C-alpha cells in the first residue's frame, strides 16, 4: 500500500510517498510560497508528480493522499478556511489536488491535529489512550486525544492551547490580538524575544553569546544554558513556567495521561522540564499531577507522518 502525503508549513513544504507503516520511501522539500496559494499548490502537484515518476507509481496505486495544513481546516470538505497568509482563505485544497493528481481520496487536516493522529498511529499512541499533543515552535498549538480518538469540539476547533491565558500582570501581545496567551509567553517566538531582551540588559549574557559565537535566539540560549549560564537558565525557566501553567489547565480539565511535545523548542525539553514540573505542581490538582511529559519520537516529520495517518484512519 502506498500513501501520498503533503506537509504544507508556513516556511517549508514536504512532499512524500510512504508505506502503510509510516516508512518514507521518497520525499522532496521546498520553501512554501505564501504570497499565492495557487502557485504553491501547483508546486506541490509538480513535486508529487516527480516523485510518482521516480517510483513508477500511478494515481491508482495510492490508498489516498493526506495533507497537513497550517490554520483552520474543514476536514470533511478538505477546505483550508484560514491560514495566516495573504489570500489563504477558503482554499479548496482537496478538490484541487484530487483533480490535478488523479488521486480520488484526499484527506486534509490542521497540522497539529495531524501530528496527534500521526502520534496515535506511528508514535506513542500504543502507550496512551488519552494524551495532549502540543507543538511549541513559532507559536503554540495543541490537539486532544481521548479514548484514542481526536477531540474536535462542537465547532471543530478544540485544542487551541496556545490561547490559554498564562500571564495577567505583564501580558504580552499575542498574534491572535489578545494579551497574555501561552503563545505570547511560552513559544519559540517568546524565547527569542526574551533572549534578545536579556542581551540588551545583561552585559555578561551578551558577552557569553559573543564568546561562544552564538546568535541571540532560542538555540543560542539553549547552548548557553547547557554550558551553565545563569541568565540562559533563567530565561528557559520562565518559558517552562508558562508552559507548565498551560499544561496544568489541561490536566485539571482532561485528566490526561500524557503531554507529548513537538516543534523546534522540543529539542530543549530537558532544559524546560524542571520548571514545567514545578509549575504543574503549583497549579494542577494534586492527584492528577504525575503524568508523562515527553518529546515526540516522530521528530521533524511528525506532521508528514500525520498526513499519511489521515489516509489510514478513515
Amino acid at each position: 500500500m502506498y500513501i501520498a502525503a503533503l506537509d504544507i508549513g508556513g516556511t517549508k513544504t514536504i512532499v512524500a510517498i510512504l508505506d502503510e507503516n509510516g516508512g518514507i520511501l521518497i520525499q522532496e522539500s521546498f520553501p512554501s510560497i505564501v504570497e499565492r496559494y495557487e502557485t504553491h499548490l501547483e508546486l506541490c502537484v509538480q513535486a508529487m508528480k516527480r516523485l510518482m515518476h521516480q517510483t513508477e507509481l500511478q494515481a491508482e496505486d495510492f490508498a489516498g493522499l493526506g495533507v497537513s495544513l497550517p490554520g483552520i481546516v474543514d476536514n470533511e470538505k478538505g477546505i483550508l478556511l484560514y491560514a495566516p497568509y495573504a489570500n489563504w482563505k477558503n482554499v479548496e485544497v482537496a478538490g484541487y489536488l484530487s483533480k490535478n493528481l488523479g488521486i480520488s481520496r484526499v484527506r486534509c487536516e490542521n497540522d497539529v491535529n495531524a501530528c496527534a493522529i500521526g502520534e496515535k498511529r506511528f508514535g506513542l499512541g500504543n502507550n496512551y489512550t488519552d494524551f495532549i499533543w502540543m507543538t511549541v515552535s513559532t507559536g503554540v498549538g495543541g490537539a486532544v486525544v481521548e479514548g484514542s480518538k481526536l477531540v474536535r469540539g462542537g465547532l471543530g476547533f478544540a485544542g487551541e492551547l496556545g490561547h490559554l491565558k498564562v500571564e495577567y500582570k505583564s501580558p504580552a501581545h499575542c498574534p491572535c490580538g489578545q494579551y497574555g496567551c501561552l503563545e505570547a509567553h511560552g513559544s519559540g517566538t517568546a524565547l527569542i524575544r526574551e533572549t534578545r531582551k536579556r542581551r540588551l540588559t545583561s552585559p555578561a549574557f551578551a558577552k557569553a553569546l559573543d564568546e561562544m559565537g552564538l546568535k541571540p535566539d532560542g538555540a543560542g540560549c539553549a547552548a548557553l544554558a547547557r554550558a551553565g549560564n545563569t541568565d540562559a537558565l533563567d530565561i528557559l525557566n520562565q518559558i517552562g513556567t508558562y508552559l507548565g501553567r498551560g499544561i496544568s489547565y489541561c490536566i485539571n480539565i482532561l485528566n490526561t495521561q500524557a503531554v507529548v511535545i513537538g516543534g523546534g523548542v522540543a529539542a530543549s525539553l530537558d532544559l524546560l522540564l524542571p520548571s514545567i514540573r514545578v509549575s504543574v505542581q503549583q497549579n494542577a490538582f494534586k492527584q492528577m499531577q504525575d503524568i508523562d511529559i515527553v518529546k515526540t519520537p516522530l521528530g521533524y516529520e511528525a506532521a508528514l507522518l500525520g498526513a499519511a495517518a489521515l489516509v489510514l484512519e478513515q
Side-chain angles (χ1 to χ4, degrees), residues 184-201:
H185 292 276
S187 63
T189 301
L191 176 56
I192 293 171
R193 182 188 69 231
E194 294 304 315
T195 299
R196 291 176 177 173
K197 187 186 298 183
R198 189 67 62 95
R199 187 174 187 270
L200 295 175
T201 59

Side-chain angles (χ1 to χ4, degrees), residues 80-144:
L80 176 61
L81 299 176
Y82 174 73
Y85 316 115
N87 297 320
W88 285 56
K89 297 177 181 179
N90 300 315
V91 184
E92 296 185 3
V93 176
Y96 182 92
L97 294 174
S98 179
K99 177 182 177 181
N100 288 278
L101 288 171
I103 300 175
S104 59
R105 193 161 177 261
V106 180
R107 297 291 181 264
C108 299
E109 186 58 88
N110 161 269
D111 50 4
V112 186
N113 283 351
C115 287
I117 292 169
E119 195 73 52
K120 185 162 66 77
R121 179 166 286 270
F122 300 123
L124 298 172
N126 289 330
N127 298 352
Y128 312 111
T129 58
D130 298 67
F131 65 90
I132 294 164
W133 211 97
M134 176 182 281
T135 181
V136 186
S137 188
T138 303
V140 175
V144 178

Side-chain angles (χ1 to χ4, degrees), residues 275-290:
S275 55
I276 289 175
R277 286 289 185 192
V278 169
S279 189
V280 166
Q281 289 170 4
Q282 291 173 342
N283 295 285
F285 190 57
K286 184 176 180 179
Q287 283 73 16
M288 299 181 187
Q289 293 175 2
D290 190 20

